[in-house]
């Protein structure tokens, strides 16, 4: 799973933040039914980028009903570029332990 895209306008303004998003998943088909902000990044534009990304995730059916995903948006001070990060931790809250998401 790839991290949410860092909005170019947020990067240009130097906006950063960390938040937690909770995905509610239909266990029968593995589709995300809703996403809530458990802890805001502190920046509306960063929260919206995360909500957009996570709303389209899909999980293996009958494995999870809720998934908690921490997100951090940072800019490297040396280069003023966003570090590339291909994956990040996600904690599934169910009886079988952590699960991995599949892109649609």
């Amino acid at each position: 799973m790839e991290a949410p895209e860092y909005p170019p306008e947020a990067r240009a303004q130097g906006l950063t933040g960390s938040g937690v998003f909770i995905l509610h998943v239909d266990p029968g088909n593995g589709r995300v039914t809703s996403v809530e902000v458990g802890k805001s990044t502190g920046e509306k534009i960063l929260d919206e980028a995360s909500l957009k990304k996570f709303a389209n995730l899909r999980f293996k059916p009958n494995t999870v009903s809720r998934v908690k995903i921490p997100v951090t948006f940072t800019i490297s001070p040396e280069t003023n570029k966003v570090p590339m990060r291909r994956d990040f931790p996600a904690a599934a809250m169910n009886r079988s332990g952590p699960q991995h998401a599949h892109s649609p």
Side-chain angles (χ1 to χ4, degrees):
M1 171 176 21
E2 291 184 21
E5 183 175 331
Y6 207 122
E9 56 273 23
R11 181 181 3 198
Q13 295 176 43
L15 302 179
T16 61
S18 294
V20 178
F21 297 83
I22 301 169
L23 287 59
H24 299 271
V25 180
D26 179 332
N29 64 22
R31 292 184 185 269
V32 173
T33 57
S34 66
V35 182
E36 71 179 272
V37 179
K39 177 184 175 271
S40 173
T41 62
E43 300 292 345
K44 183 178 179 180
I45 192 169
L46 300 178
D47 287 348
E48 289 174 351
S50 299
L51 291 168
K52 180 180 175 183
K53 175 68 177 184
F54 299 143
N56 295 314
L57 292 181
R58 195 168 184 185
F59 296 82
K60 184 177 177 183
N62 301 311
T63 59
V64 297
S65 59
R66 287 185 5 145
V67 179
K68 186 176 176 180
I69 303 178
V71 176
T72 299
F73 289 90
T74 60
I75 298 174
S76 172
E78 302 84 38
T79 61
N80 198 28
K81 292 184 180 178
V82 177
M84 293 300 290
R85 189 168 181 187
R86 292 280 178 212
D87 60 4
F88 52 97
M93 296 176 280
N94 73 357
R95 61 194 174 283
S96 63
Q99 302 293 319
H100 299 284
H102 304 283
S103 294

